[in-house]
Amino acid sequence: MIRQEVPDGSFIEPMHGTPNISAPPDIHLVFPATEVSVRRALLSLRASLKALAIDELTIGLVEIVLAEVANNIVEHAYPLNESGTVTLSCSKTEQGLRFEVSDRGKILPGGEIPPKKDHNLDAEMNHLPEGGFGWGLISDMTSMLMYKRDEDRNILRFSVAFATI
């Protein structure tokens, strides 16, 4: 199967096995690294997770995490004049969902996941920090979070446990 273009700029590509995942992923999306495409991908992901019988609370957690991850890629991995894609794979396990997100954008600063920042939230409203919360949220809402640069590719892997009420 050859790569097949889709009208919105995304494409379907043949699967060639995903590292660290023994079976093909349950969900595999490839989409342009743009804000509009991230929103569309999150809608597609939501529908796919519902089809896998994933509960709404877990889907909500996944949406927050992946919105942060994908928007970081759009904003920081690809310069304004450079286009690229994001690849997202998801596998359902007994404990939750396992994700791999990759892109061919710029490497993370220092080649590693930024540490969680402690913010003083007791400050007055006009002195509250702008930004810097994303990686903390991602770290708090996932497990087995890891990043590596493989040649020209950024690879982020993590798991999201099924939510418990």
Side-chain angles (χ1 to χ4, degrees):
M1 173 189 230
I2 18 184
R3 183 171 140 160
Q4 179 183 357
E5 297 286 333
V6 180
D8 72 354
S10 58
F11 55 87
I12 300 168
E13 67 179 357
M15 291 295 297
H16 299 291
T18 305
N20 291 344
I21 298 176
S22 56
D26 295 304
I27 301 169
H28 183 77
L29 302 172
V30 180
F31 54 95
T34 65
E35 291 176 6
V36 170
S37 295
V38 167
R39 285 192 289 276
R40 288 180 181 151
L42 289 172
L43 289 171
S44 293
L45 180 67
R46 171 174 267 286
S48 297
L49 291 172
K50 281 185 171 191
L52 289 173
I54 305 301
D55 64 276
E56 282 294 325
L57 192 52
T58 301
I59 292 173
L61 293 171
V62 165
E63 286 178 317
I64 292 168
V65 169
L66 287 171
E68 285 293 334
V69 168
N71 285 319
N72 278 341
I73 293 169
V74 169
E75 292 175 25
H76 305 293
Y78 292 107
L80 290 177
N81 60 350
E82 188 179 322
S83 63
T85 58
V86 179
T87 301
L88 183 154
S89 296
C90 172
S91 295
K92 183 178 178 181
T93 68
E94 287 184 27
Q95 299 80 25
L97 300 164
R98 192 172 45 212
F99 290 90
E100 180 175 291
V101 181
S102 66
D103 66 81
R104 295 188 185 280
K106 294 190 303 187
I107 189 170
L108 277 174
E112 57 188 39
I113 295 170
K116 182 178 177 178
K117 294 180 183 177
D118 289 324
H119 297 286
N120 178 10
L121 300 179
D122 293 328
E124 291 184 32
M125 186 68 105
N126 59 344
H127 290 103
L128 287 172
E130 178 84 19
F133 293 93
W135 281 108
L137 279 172
I138 294 165
S139 178
D140 287 347
M141 299 173 83
T142 65
S143 61
M144 298 186 293
L145 178 64
M146 66 165 276
Y147 166 80
K148 74 175 184 175
R149 180 75 174 191
D150 186 15
E151 296 180 16
D152 66 341
R153 213 167 65 116
N154 295 306
I155 302 170
L156 184 71
R157 292 188 181 123
F158 56 89
S159 293
V160 175
F162 292 129
T164 56
I165 299 176

